Amino acid sequence: MKFGKRLKQQIQETLPDWRDKFLSYKELKKLVRLLSSAPLLLSGSIEYGKAEAKFVYSLNNEIDKFNTFFMEQEEDFIIRHKELQQRIQNVIDAWGPNGSQPSEAEYKKEMCKIRKDIVNFHGEMVLLENYSNINYTGLAKILKKYDKRTGGLLRLPFIQKVLQQPFFTTDLISKLVKECENTIDAVFPVEEKERAREGREAITIAGEGIFRHTVAALLTMQEIRSGSSTYSHFSLPPLNLPDSDLIQSLQLNSPIPSL
């Protein structure tokens, strides 16, 4: 699938509030087409210099957009992670076996609510990692297109700049994702059979909610970060997803069209 179509699909499959935060790929392609097709825009001319400056200005605006949105989400996720941890502790202190008002029924009810919130929270963070990946990939592709069609040399210096940007640095989000997974394993342990059953039930109801978007994000990240004949040092490293059997089941059963 061409990147433009993949990006459009990702925008459709993401959270509604995020849909204007992705790369303006179509507009950037128009600028590249203008620079490469207009015979009057000779390389080195004043007109060409202005057109190129407009393209670079647009790229910088896109990066500023990514950074602003990513850092806002990152800050929100840090706060929400702390709040979820506090909620768990409050339930343990109140209704746990050694709590102030021990109650197995209340404990299970409140923990069930928290688990659902953690799963949704985990899904949103996966979507943000996907947001970073898809926008980086889009920038690399549009710069490759620019260099190929104009004979320019923007890609290498610009990508080196991108690698230092906040939106590209997902270490903290990856850490929070892992901590969520560890919390679920530690606080909500389940037997393997029950885990498999819950996974199948989740797949069945995947037509709605954050779960559906997370499945799409995971599959997209797996595709755009897999090695291929066109793999280069501008490409993201391959993504080795855990629970590969589950991912394959999601791909087979998800109502989202395969990428």
Side-chain angles (χ1 to χ4, degrees):
M1 181 184 292
K2 290 186 178 180
F3 181 79
K5 291 184 178 180
R6 178 189 292 151
L7 177 60
K8 183 178 179 180
Q9 182 176 2
Q10 281 295 290
I11 293 172
Q12 291 171 342
E13 294 296 344
T14 195
L15 299 176
D17 292 345
W18 295 22
R19 293 182 180 177
D20 62 343
K21 310 300 182 183
F22 284 85
L23 180 71
S24 301
Y25 189 73
K26 188 175 181 180
E27 287 69 24
L28 291 170
K29 276 183 65 178
K30 289 179 180 178
L31 288 176
V32 171
R33 193 177 299 117
L34 174 66
L35 281 162
S36 62
S37 62
L40 295 179
L41 297 182
L42 300 176
S43 180
S45 69
I46 295 176
E47 291 80 7
Y48 184 91
K50 289 180 179 179
E52 184 178 67
K54 182 179 180 181
F55 178 70
V56 172
Y57 178 78
S58 297
L59 287 177
N60 285 324
N61 280 345
E62 292 295 294
I63 289 177
D64 289 343
K65 177 176 69 177
F66 302 156
N67 286 337
T68 298
F69 176 70
F70 187 90
M71 289 189 290
E72 287 175 353
Q73 293 299 312
E74 191 175 59
E75 182 178 358
D76 179 60
F77 289 162
I78 292 170
I79 295 170
R80 288 169 62 187
H81 179 259
K82 291 179 179 178
E83 290 175 342
L84 284 167
Q85 296 299 316
Q86 187 60 54
R87 282 176 61 192
I88 291 172
Q89 191 59 53
N90 289 344
V91 171
I92 292 172
D93 291 343
W95 294 295
N98 300 315
S100 57
Q101 306 173 56
S103 170
E104 185 177 356
E106 286 297 323
Y107 180 85
K108 286 185 176 180
K109 183 179 75 172
E110 293 303 316
M111 281 299 194
C112 182
K113 293 178 183 177
I114 293 173
R115 182 174 182 175
K116 289 179 180 178
D117 289 343
I118 290 178
V119 170
N120 283 339
F121 178 51
H122 179 277
E124 287 185 49
M125 291 191 292
V126 170
L127 287 178
L128 190 63
E129 287 185 301
N130 182 62
Y131 173 85
S132 172
N133 289 344
I134 203 80
N135 285 311
Y136 168 81
T137 302
L139 286 172
K141 286 185 176 295
I142 199 67
L143 285 162
K144 179 180 179 180
K145 192 179 295 290
Y146 172 87
D147 282 3
K148 181 178 180 180
R149 293 193 176 183
T150 68
L153 297 171
L154 279 183
R155 183 162 64 146
L156 180 58
F158 210 91
I159 288 298
Q160 289 175 335
K161 173 184 175 181
V162 169
L163 297 181
Q164 306 303 316
Q165 299 303 310
F167 88 89
F168 183 78
T169 310
T170 60
D171 292 351
L172 177 57
I173 298 299
S174 297
K175 180 182 177 183
L176 291 177
V177 167
K178 186 62 178 177
E179 287 181 7
C180 273
E181 293 168 354
N182 290 339
T183 296
I184 291 176
D185 288 340
V187 184
F188 311 101
V190 293
E191 297 297 331
E192 286 303 316
K193 289 183 179 180
E194 184 180 351
R195 189 189 301 274
R197 177 182 59 80
E198 290 183 352
R200 288 194 296 271
E201 289 176 355
I203 292 169
T204 302
I205 61 171
E208 300 294 337
I210 190 73
F211 185 86
R212 180 173 186 267
H213 304 309
T214 306
V215 172
L218 283 169
L219 296 177
T220 298
M221 283 195 287
Q222 188 178 47
E223 181 188 4
I224 66 176
R225 295 180 65 169
S226 62
S228 70
S229 59
T230 58
Y231 190 80
S232 72
H233 59 282
F234 295 110
S235 303
L236 289 162
L239 178 67
N240 296 315
L241 290 172
D243 301 324
S244 58
D245 291 341
L246 176 58
I247 295 300
Q248 290 174 9
S249 296
L250 292 174
Q251 190 169 18
L252 290 171
N253 291 280
S254 172
I256 304 167
S258 297
L259 299 176

